Amino acid sequence: MTVTAQTLSQLPLFAGLGDDALREIAPHVYERTFPPGQVILLEGDPCQAVYFVARGVVRARRTSLAGREHVLAYLGPGECFSLVPALDGDPHLSSVDTLTEVTLYTIPCQHFRRIVREHHEVAMAVIERLAAEVRRLSDVVEDLALHTVRTRLARFLLAQADDPQPFHRWTQEEIAAHIGTVREMVGRTLRAFADAGLIHRQRGRVVVVDREGLEREATGRGT
């Protein structure tokens, strides 16, 4: 199913375009729907399209040769992925799968590159998006290199406690992939937090009991 110019104008990358440009691009944009747990693309595969999330949440992740997984990002409505391989022609940097039912808008790589060449507004939006991603990944690298698992887990728990609309209940394995460690370490640290009275674990949920104490852990000043 193709996407209308009006729908296309709601995507951040195309918000600066006029109606004529949007109508020109719209026939090259297609809508696809995926169920939860569906792999959309695999790390190392050739790039076929750029993807824009219209509804739902997807996960971008990389896996080591030993099978250890690290989650790079969770992407929701308005966000996009596969920009880099679409622009440089190299394979996908990560695998992407769905965590909920997802609707995506897709643009074949060759059409997307032409759009970037012909429309200054899109080119600038792509540059800004990639610059923001470099900054975000730099923060991730700093977090992994300079902070302990205990600190990273405390930050994760605080972020989840502040999220008004969590998209699903996290398993220890998923938390480990998100903060860059292994499930056993997450389980051990959660027990330590519970023993210290910082959190309470109930039926698979984690409730923050001592926020100030957990905030100290998140800054590396915990005991």
Side-chain angles (χ1 to χ4, degrees), residues 15-215:
L17 293 178
D19 292 340
D20 290 343
L22 291 169
R23 282 192 290 269
E24 176 190 339
I25 295 170
H28 302 294
V29 186
Y30 301 90
E31 180 180 308
R32 298 183 64 188
T33 300
F34 299 86
Q38 175 73 48
V39 175
I40 299 170
L41 53 88
L42 291 172
E43 177 184 346
D45 280 356
C47 184
Q48 303 294 328
V50 177
Y51 301 81
F52 299 84
V53 183
R55 288 180 290 276
V57 178
V58 303
R59 170 179 58 184
R61 53 192 172 86
R62 296 194 71 162
T63 305
S64 71
L65 293 176
R68 183 170 168 179
E69 181 181 285
H70 183 70
V71 174
L72 299 175
Y74 295 91
L75 304 172
E79 298 184 282
C80 60
F81 56 95
S82 294
L83 281 179
V84 172
L87 293 172
D88 68 13
D90 285 342
H92 286 295
L93 295 167
S94 61
S95 299
V96 178
D97 59 356
T98 62
L99 294 181
T100 66
E101 182 174 291
V102 169
T103 298
L104 300 176
Y105 302 146
T106 71
I107 304 177
C109 290
Q110 68 272 21
H111 291 300
F112 184 76
R113 286 193 291 268
R114 179 174 59 79
I115 291 166
V116 172
R117 286 195 303 267
E118 295 179 357
H119 298 282
H120 169 78
E121 298 89 347
V122 176
M124 288 303 301
V126 168
I127 290 171
E128 291 171 0
R129 172 72 176 80
L130 293 177
E133 184 66 0
V134 168
R135 289 187 178 276
R136 188 188 72 80
L137 291 176
S138 295
D139 289 341
V140 170
V141 171
E142 178 185 359
D143 205 35
L144 291 172
L146 301 181
H147 298 297
T148 65
V149 170
R150 191 177 180 101
T151 296
R152 299 201 301 271
L153 181 57
R155 291 180 176 187
F156 171 85
L157 294 175
L158 288 169
Q160 292 306 302
D162 292 338
D163 188 349
Q165 294 182 317
F167 56 85
H168 78 153
R169 184 173 293 181
W170 294 73
T171 67
Q172 290 186 16
E173 187 172 2
E174 289 172 328
I175 295 173
H178 184 67
I179 68 173
T181 186
V182 295
R183 182 180 60 80
E184 292 77 11
M185 194 66 175
V186 169
R188 225 171 15 244
T189 309
L190 285 174
R191 287 193 295 273
F193 284 169
D195 292 343
L198 303 179
I199 63 171
H200 176 64
R201 301 167 70 187
Q202 181 179 21
R203 297 180 181 178
R205 294 180 64 249
V206 175
V207 178
V208 175
V209 176
D210 181 358
R211 186 179 181 91
E212 288 187 2
L214 200 60
E215 287 174 345

